[in-house]
Amino acid sequence: MGRSKRFAIIGGGIGGLSLAIAMQRKGFQVTVFESAASIAPLGAGLGLAANAVRAFIEIGISEDVLEAGSVLKKLSIKNQRGKVLATTDSQKISSKYNVVNNFTIHRADLHEVLLRHLKEGTLQLGRTCVDFVQFASGVKITFQDGSSAEADYVIACDGVHSIFRRKLLPESLPRYAGYTCWRAVIDDVPPSLDLNETSETWGAAGRFGIVPLTKNRLYWFACVNAGENDQQKSAYGVKDLLKHFAKFHSPIPEILQNTKDRQLIWNDIIDIKPLKRFSFGKILLIGDAAHATTPNMGQGACMAIEDAAILANMISDSQSVDETFLAFERKRIHRTTTIVNDSWQLGRIAQWENKLLITLRDSLLRLTPPSVAEKRIRFIQDVSFQ
Ligand SMILES: Cc1cc2nc3c(=O)[nH]c(=O)nc-3n(C[C@H](O)[C@H](O)[C@H](O)COP(=O)(O)OP(=O)(O)OC[C@H]3O[C@@H](n4cnc5c(N)ncnc54)[C@H](O)[C@@H]3O)c2cc1C
């Protein structure tokens, strides 16, 4: 059903492009309207869990995606002295569940793969949607340059600041998590780094994550408690971060020393309090527009890719797109709400500054049996695409 309908996808991020590919492969007509004027290489890295890999298998592009990134063998949480508090053997988990876990990729490389699989002429750049009106028969979209477009259905993949969500649910504003974040990708990797491991180091000064990428590159992120839009922190350069993380174990200081100020990407960590609706007649919200989450579980992009694979399957199998939008909402609300809430809680604990609480947390982490981590992994990857 719906193959004669025109679908407008707003936003050419990971969610929008994945959806466009998934729908085109099922024979639908889609146009992606993206506000960026050009495809500029995006700076940071990304960790993708098994659910995202399974979604790419479902869409049919997993081989190319996997070829563009790395599969790492373990995932560890450490204290600031470098003592391992918890480790997940990703290789073991991957072979047990027969799907790749702990996959890392540079965002620009993922974008390049997605763009390669998109039919020519699908993506319209420089098209910032500023308003829309919904009719019984479809949606009229207006762009910043005064132009407009009409579609039978709109799927809003326009991210955490979604203009669609802002108009449909004006009370649903991004909420600040209480910590701010710097990220960078560097190609000057300290020789002592274990290239098979993704790690997070939790200490009183904050959190530092290390994610090896292909081509001898490394993605790191650092989260520090701060007031919202803290001007002093926003001006931090590498020297300030070095001072801030001075007590963190090697090779964290070396990684910072090898980073240039111009490589730093800074932003406050925000999410959206879980919504009760994603579907609004001819308009559906997916990805961050629907369920932006804090990055603590590395699940924001994973859920956007899941959304894309599931929605394309559901529309393809259904007699009515309107009903499919509602069915998608029913299917996705519980899972995405659970992940957004769990990630929010995990972030609060990971950002503790109180020494006593940190000692307690670290002991609990050390004592937690691997079966607990495995249960969480099972939940994450246990997604049905029908
Ligand atoms: C610090 C940090 C680390 C993260 N790490 C991970 C990770 O390791 N793993 C993971 O799975 N997720 C991670 N995420 C989350 C992930 O980046 C997002 O969940 C994911 O990018 C969401 O994809 P999306 O397509 O829904 O939205 P976006 O990627 O935000 O894309 C939205 C697109 O819409 C466009 N757009 C916006 N407004 C308009 C408009 N009005 N008109 C037209 N176009 C518009 C934008 O230009 C953009 O291209 C992280 C996030 C942060 C902040």
Side-chain angles (χ1 to χ4, degrees):
M1 239 305 280
R3 283 177 177 76
S4 59
K5 303 290 183 196
R6 294 157 305 161
F7 290 89
I9 295 176
I10 313 297
I14 296 169
L17 294 181
S18 301
L19 178 67
I21 298 163
M23 289 191 68
Q24 282 184 336
R25 287 181 160 231
K26 296 207 175 281
F28 293 99
Q29 300 172 42
V30 299
T31 305
V32 180
F33 297 102
E34 164 58 44
S35 62
S38 61
I39 302 289
L42 306 162
L46 204 55
L48 294 179
N51 56 328
V53 176
R54 290 191 58 210
F56 281 131
I57 293 172
E58 194 67 25
I59 295 170
I61 59 169
S62 60
E63 281 180 22
D64 287 354
V65 172
L66 289 174
E67 206 180 289
S70 318
V71 180
L72 303 187
K73 290 186 179 153
K74 58 183 170 169
L75 197 153
S76 303
I77 298 180
K78 301 175 183 177
N79 69 14
Q80 68 182 48
R81 291 189 307 279
K83 188 178 166 86
V84 176
L85 303 172
T87 298
T88 305
D89 182 338
S90 314
Q91 241 183 345
K92 203 165 129 198
I93 300 274
S94 297
S95 52
K96 181 165 176 188
Y97 294 104
N98 201 23
V99 62
V100 163
N101 244 286
N102 200 2
F103 173 69
T104 69
I105 188 164
H106 195 299
R107 282 176 189 255
D109 295 341
L110 178 58
H111 252 75
E112 194 274 316
V113 173
L114 296 177
L115 289 170
R116 206 178 339 128
H117 283 278
L118 209 59
K119 282 191 186 160
E120 214 175 305
T122 309
L123 177 64
Q124 297 196 9
L125 294 169
R127 302 277 265 163
T128 305
C129 173
V130 288
D131 200 8
F132 62 91
V133 184
Q134 182 166 191
F135 304 102
S137 59
V139 186
K140 182 177 176 195
I141 311 150
T142 312
F143 299 99
Q144 204 165 34
D145 60 5
S147 63
S148 61
E150 285 180 19
D152 297 303
Y153 294 95
V154 166
I155 300 153
C157 310
D158 51 342
V160 62
H161 299 291
S162 167
I163 178 170
F164 282 83
R165 196 193 58 248
R166 279 210 310 258
K167 188 166 172 182
L168 294 163
L169 295 171
E171 71 286 4
S172 161
L173 299 169
R175 63 178 176 178
Y176 178 49
Y179 38 97
T180 200
C181 181
W182 293 264
R183 292 177 277 172
V185 173
I186 60 168
D187 45 22
D188 195 354
V189 179
S192 62
L193 187 81
D194 181 351
L195 294 172
N196 288 311
E197 178 188 67
T198 339
S199 69
E200 267 194 37
T201 297
W202 295 5
R207 254 184 305 168
F208 198 95
I210 301 174
V211 182
L213 299 172
T214 53
K215 300 180 197 153
N216 202 31
R217 292 169 300 178
L218 169 93
Y219 160 52
W220 64 259
F221 59 88
C223 291
V224 169
N225 291 342
E228 191 168 1
N229 199 18
D230 183 319
Q231 290 307 300
Q232 197 202 347
K233 295 250 172 16
S234 75
Y236 264 21
V238 169
K239 265 194 191 142
D240 306 291
L241 290 170
L242 255 170
K243 214 191 288 173
H244 191 92
F245 288 99
K247 290 194 178 145
F248 275 41
H249 63 86
S250 172
I252 291 169
E254 294 91 310
I255 288 172
L256 284 169
Q257 264 151 11
N258 293 358
T259 305
K260 315 247 177 324
D261 281 336
R262 62 176 162 76
Q263 292 172 317
L264 291 179
I265 302 172
W266 168 80
N267 55 274
D268 276 348
I269 296 299
I270 53 175
D271 78 351
I272 302 289
K273 194 170 166 210
L275 305 182
K276 302 227 170 352
R277 288 180 73 182
F278 296 163
S279 163
F280 301 84
K282 310 272 177 208
I283 301 170
L284 180 72
L285 309 177
I286 76 161
D288 272 14
H291 43 64
T293 180
T294 51
N296 306 305
M297 289 169 67
Q299 273 295 310
C302 297
M303 287 194 290
I305 303 160
E306 276 185 4
D307 283 349
I310 290 169
L311 182 61
N313 283 351
M314 288 179 85
I315 295 178
S316 180
D317 293 344
S318 141
Q319 294 303 309
S320 151
V321 178
D322 297 54
E323 279 170 24
T324 304
F325 281 6
L326 280 166
F328 175 88
E329 172 188 293
R330 281 195 299 275
K331 182 176 171 66
R332 297 296 289 159
I333 285 264
H334 176 69
R335 177 172 170 85
T336 54
T337 297
T338 304
I339 292 175
V340 170
N341 287 339
D342 286 359
S343 182
W344 183 268
Q345 291 306 335
L346 181 63
R348 293 191 93 87
I349 294 168
Q351 291 292 139
W352 278 348
E353 288 176 342
N354 179 296
K355 297 244 162 64
L356 260 172
L357 285 175
I358 289 176
T359 309
L360 181 72
R361 176 192 69 197
D362 291 1
S363 309
L364 283 173
L365 269 171
R366 269 198 306 270
L367 294 171
T368 305
S371 59
V372 173
E374 198 177 325
K375 196 171 158 206
R376 201 172 51 240
I377 291 167
R378 218 179 313 130
F379 167 74
I380 291 295
Q381 69 165 27
D382 196 14
V383 52
S384 143
F385 290 96
Q386 300 310 316

